[in-house]
Every structure is written in C-alpha cells, then in structure tokens.
Amino acid sequence: MSRFLKCLLGLFAALVLSACAQKIDFKGTSIEDASMGGDFTLTDFHGKPRSLAEFRGKVVALFFGYTNCPDVCPTTMLEYASVMKQLGTDGDKVQVLFVSVDPERDTPQVLAGYVPHFDKRFIGMSGGEAEVEKVMKQYKVVAQKVKNEEGGYTVDHSAGSYLLDKEGKLRVYEAYGTPAANLAYDIRQLLR
C-alpha cells in the first residue's frame, strides 16, 4: 500500500473518530465527573429490589425527592410528565426514577400512591436509611430533616435531577425549574 493511501486512510479514520467523539450541546450541565453516579439497588414501589442497571437501553431521568414535599418534588414530577408527552412514542425509551430521601415515611405503598399519579411509567424507589444514604452520596445529593412546630418535619434536599444515557453513564445535571422543553431536548440528544 502506498504511503499516500496510508495517509489518506489515516486521515479518514481520524475524521470518523472525531465525528463520533463530538460533544453534545446540552441545555443542562454536562457531567464528565467519573467519580459521581454508578449502579445501585433499591426497592421499588411494588416491594421488588430494582437495580439501576436494569434500565440499560433507556435514558434514565433520576430525581431525589419525597412524597410530602410541598413544591419542588411535585413541580419536577409534573415537568417530567410533560416531557413524556412531548416525546410521544420515544417516551417509552425513557425511565423516570423517583428516589425517596424520606424512607421513614415513603414506604412502597406510599410511593405507589404518589409516583404513578404523574405518569404510569414512572417508578418510585426507596430502601433502608443506610441504603438511601449510600445512593445519595453516589450522586452528591444532600437531604436534611427540618422539624416543624406541629411535631412533624419537612426535608430540605437537593432539587435538581440527573440524566443517564442508554449505557447507564451519568451525563447531565438538570437544575430545578428547567423547562420541560429543555429537558425533552436533552433527552432526545441522549436517545440519538
């Protein structure tokens, strides 16, 4: 093979590789931190242990919240419900996971009455306090109980959500209040 042909093939290979490695222009914040995220197993709202790895092949929207949340959680869940409508049939290639930061109150039964209210395809997950804490640390989520005058409590918690690609890699952080159209745009990028 001539030297010219070898150079031409090398240039072609470099162009193909660079096209494959192009960065996606997300509306949310791209995450390149390999120390964040990872697989976990929690109990779903049917009482069945579920691993994040089970959802490979789908884009996963991961949100940490709790069912007694007065504002952030229902707003975010409504945004993702809107996203699923915007995606049409592509919504079946997306899995929204709601991980409770309040395992004391958010039993599988409570999650089963809350999460599918937004979309029947959404799954609520929880576990023991130590299990949930471990997953929160993996995703750098913070949550803290705040007692109120009536003797109950609320939970102050991180308000954003995460998008994982079809291979289960953490790719995007979506801040609280991100419009559904932007969430749908980022999910479409990951579905390509």
Side-chain angles (χ1 to χ4, degrees):
M1 183 181 294
S2 75
R3 184 177 176 150
F4 174 75
L5 189 52
K6 285 181 184 177
C7 287
L8 190 59
L9 285 173
L11 178 62
F12 178 71
L15 287 172
V16 168
L17 288 174
S18 71
C20 292
Q22 287 178 348
K23 287 197 172 219
I24 299 172
D25 185 26
F26 294 114
K27 302 286 185 186
T29 303
S30 180
I31 298 176
E32 301 293 330
D33 186 352
S35 70
M36 274 183 77
D39 195 21
F40 62 84
T41 300
L42 290 173
T43 303
D44 73 8
F45 53 26
H46 298 295
K48 178 183 172 188
R50 300 292 293 269
S51 165
L52 182 63
E54 289 179 47
F55 304 104
R56 294 250 167 93
K58 290 187 171 192
V59 170
V60 173
L62 181 62
F63 177 67
F64 293 81
Y66 70 112
T67 62
N68 286 302
C69 181
D71 45 25
V72 171
C73 300
T75 301
T76 300
M77 295 298 281
L78 285 169
E79 291 291 348
Y80 277 108
S82 176
V83 165
M84 297 299 267
K85 288 177 185 166
Q86 291 179 38
L87 292 173
T89 57
D90 280 343
D92 292 334
K93 300 172 189 170
V94 176
Q95 183 60 64
V96 175
L97 298 177
F98 177 92
V99 175
S100 175
V101 297
D102 187 12
E104 184 179 326
R105 292 185 294 196
D106 288 344
T107 64
Q109 296 79 15
V110 171
L111 289 169
Y114 180 80
V115 176
H117 169 76
F118 298 96
D119 186 295
K120 289 182 173 109
R121 297 169 286 191
F122 293 3
I123 296 175
M125 303 176 85
S126 192
E129 205 166 309
E131 292 173 297
V132 172
E133 279 286 328
K134 182 181 175 202
V135 176
M136 287 170 45
K137 283 181 184 171
Q138 282 177 249
Y139 287 86
K140 299 185 180 177
V141 171
V142 294
Q144 180 177 2
K145 287 183 184 179
V146 179
K147 296 200 183 271
N148 58 33
E149 294 173 5
E150 294 82 37
Y153 65 90
T154 59
V155 182
D156 287 348
H157 62 92
S158 303
S161 59
Y162 297 102
L163 299 179
L164 291 84
D165 65 20
K166 293 184 281 185
E167 286 77 42
K169 182 180 175 194
L170 185 59
R171 297 293 300 278
V172 185
Y173 171 76
E174 302 287 0
Y176 170 66
T178 298
N182 289 4
L183 296 171
Y185 174 87
D186 287 352
I187 289 171
R188 282 189 184 102
Q189 301 311 302
L190 294 173
L191 286 171
R192 294 192 299 166

